């Protein structure tokens, strides 16, 4: 096995600002104030990364002294500035340009909580990505107990790169937003195709460099709709990427209305709160 594939490096760009509780004023779970929420979320990610090849960059947007001191208790590269939401996204994209093409970059907002096995399952997906391929669209007919393929339409010319979104959002199970999903299995998890994300996802550095224009344009008013429409394929993957989300979720967005199901977040938050005390 290729050495890089056997031990893929993940560069985390953790985008943090503790001055704004929530961009859209959405209520936070467990009555957490923003500083505690960031600490809990970061500690969950840091715990999950242990034992894996990684580097953490904290992009601090007008950080308070308390949060700066917290991050510096870990082995991180701290980059500080006064950016605002849009420019902090652009800074993340710029930081990613310095990483080697075969490395992975995890753009992570500071309000995502991770399960202890999140990185283990993500690394397995990266290692087994050669098994992830969008199947052709086929028109078949049963004729005398034999299935004949009448038409086969390829969904890509070149196998698409993958983007990994660690969160299984609950609205994907609501009838209004439910769409057909292609599902894949790795040796330790299930993943399905999705076509929309926030700004928390993993990409290989080579794909970030190829899609730099789209990523930078999407930073205008933090437009994740533009990002999703231009970056991810749906039925076809001509010059677009295949975005995958785990089932069940490996992370949850820490807003009351968007907590992912089928994970014991209550106990995890209680444990992490003790760890950061």
């Amino acid at each position: 096995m290729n050495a890089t594939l056997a031990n893929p490096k993940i560069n985390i760009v953790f985008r943090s600002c503790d001055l704004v509780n929530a961009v859209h004023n959405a209520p936070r779970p467990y009555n957490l104030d923003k500083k505690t929420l960031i600490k809990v979320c970061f500690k969950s990610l840091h715990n999950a990364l242990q034992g894996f090849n990684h580097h953490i960059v904290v992009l601090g947007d007008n950080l308070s002294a308390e949060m700066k001191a917290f991050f510096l208790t870990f082995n991180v590269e701290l980059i500080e500035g006064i950016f605002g939401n849009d420019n902090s996204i652009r800074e993340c994209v710029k930081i990613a340009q310095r990483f080697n093409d075969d490395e992975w970059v995890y753009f992570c907002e500071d309000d995502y909580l991770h399960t202890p096995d999140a990185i283990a399952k993500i690394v397995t997906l990266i290692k087994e990505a050669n098994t992830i391929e969008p199947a052709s669209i086929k028109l078949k007919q049963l004729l005398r107990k034999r299935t004949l393929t009448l038409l086969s339409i390829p969904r890509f010319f070149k196998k698409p790169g993958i983007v990994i979104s660690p969160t299984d959002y609950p609205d994907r199970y609501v009838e209004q937003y439910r769409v057909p999903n292609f599902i894949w299995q790795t040796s330790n998890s299930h993943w399905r195709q999705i076509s929309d994300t926030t700004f928390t996802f993993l990409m290989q550095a080579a794909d970030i460099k190829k899609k730099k224009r789209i990523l930078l344009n999407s930073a205008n008013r933090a437009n994740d709709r533009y990002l999703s429409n231009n970056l991810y394929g749906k039925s076809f993957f001509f010059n677009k990427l295949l975005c995958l989300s785990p089932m069940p979720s490996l992370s949850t967005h820490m807003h009351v209305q968007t907590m992912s199901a089928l994970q014991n977040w209550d106990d995890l938050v209680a444990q992490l709160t003790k760890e950061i005390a």
Side-chain angles (χ1 to χ4, degrees), residues 141-148:
Q141 182 174 337
L142 183 64
L143 182 64
R144 295 181 180 179
K145 298 182 180 180
R146 295 180 60 188
T147 301
L148 300 179

Side-chain angles (χ1 to χ4, degrees), residues 133-137 153-157 160 179-180 182 184 193-195 232-238 240-242:
E133 180 176 300
S136 299
I137 297 174
I153 304 173
R155 300 171 68 199
F156 60 91
F157 292 133
V179 296
F182 291 91
W184 291 267
Q193 176 190 341
I194 62 171
S195 57
Y232 311 134
K234 295 181 181 179
S235 297
F236 298 96
F237 299 90
F238 303 115
K240 291 195 174 183
L241 303 174
L242 171 62

Side-chain angles (χ1 to χ4, degrees), residues 46-258:
H46 187 268
N47 288 354
L49 285 163
Q50 298 314 296
F52 297 98
N53 187 12
H54 71 277
H55 172 66
I56 302 175
V57 179
V58 175
L59 182 66
D61 185 4
N62 203 10
L63 281 183
S64 66
E66 178 184 339
M67 289 310 306
K68 179 179 177 180
F70 168 78
F71 286 126
L72 290 177
T73 62
F74 300 89
N75 182 22
V76 302
E77 176 187 352
L78 178 61
I79 299 175
E80 294 185 272
I82 301 176
F83 303 109
N85 196 36
D86 293 8
N87 280 331
S88 69
I89 295 172
R90 296 186 184 100
E91 287 298 318
C92 287
V93 177
K94 292 176 184 176
I95 291 169
Q97 305 302 307
R98 76 188 203 211
F99 300 127
N100 295 332
D101 285 358
D102 58 358
E103 296 176 6
W104 287 76
V105 183
Y106 183 12
F107 296 125
C108 185
E109 296 165 273
D110 63 7
D111 56 352
Y112 280 78
L113 184 71
H114 296 76
T115 62
D117 62 349
I119 300 302
K121 290 183 175 178
I122 287 170
V123 167
T124 298
L125 174 62
I126 291 171
K127 290 180 178 180
E128 300 177 9
N130 62 317
T131 67
I132 308 297
E133 180 176 300
S136 299
I137 297 174
K138 297 182 185 296
L139 177 62
K140 298 182 179 182
Q141 182 174 337
L142 183 64
L143 182 64
R144 295 181 180 179
K145 298 182 180 180
R146 295 180 60 188
T147 301
L148 300 179
T149 300
L150 303 179
L151 179 67
S152 180
I153 304 173
R155 300 171 68 199
F156 60 91
F157 292 133
K158 181 181 178 182
K159 184 178 176 179
I162 65 171
V163 177
I164 304 170
S165 172
T167 305
D168 187 29
Y169 276 94
D171 61 4
R172 290 175 183 142
Y173 299 91
V174 176
E175 184 175 0
Q176 180 182 358
Y177 303 107
R178 195 164 58 230
V179 296
N181 297 120
F182 291 91
I183 299 174
W184 291 267
Q185 178 183 338
T186 68
S187 57
N188 63 6
S189 53
H190 286 87
W191 299 81
R192 67 168 166 184
Q193 176 190 341
I194 62 171
S195 57
D196 59 276
T197 67
T198 63
F199 286 94
T200 289
F201 55 84
L202 294 91
M203 287 177 68
Q204 197 161 32
D207 287 324
I208 293 174
K209 294 169 186 177
K210 292 175 186 175
K211 304 297 184 180
K212 179 180 177 181
R213 181 186 60 80
I214 292 173
L215 293 166
L216 290 175
N217 286 347
S218 71
N220 184 30
R221 297 185 179 180
N223 192 341
D224 53 18
R225 178 69 59 85
Y226 174 92
L227 173 83
S228 299
N229 287 342
N230 288 276
L231 199 60
Y232 311 134
K234 295 181 181 179
S235 297
F236 298 96
F237 299 90
F238 303 115
N239 202 33
K240 291 195 174 183
L241 303 174
L242 171 62
C243 190
L244 302 174
S245 170
M247 301 185 301
S249 196
L250 299 176
S251 177
T252 186
H253 203 173
M254 292 287 274
H255 293 295
V256 169
Q257 300 92 337
T258 59

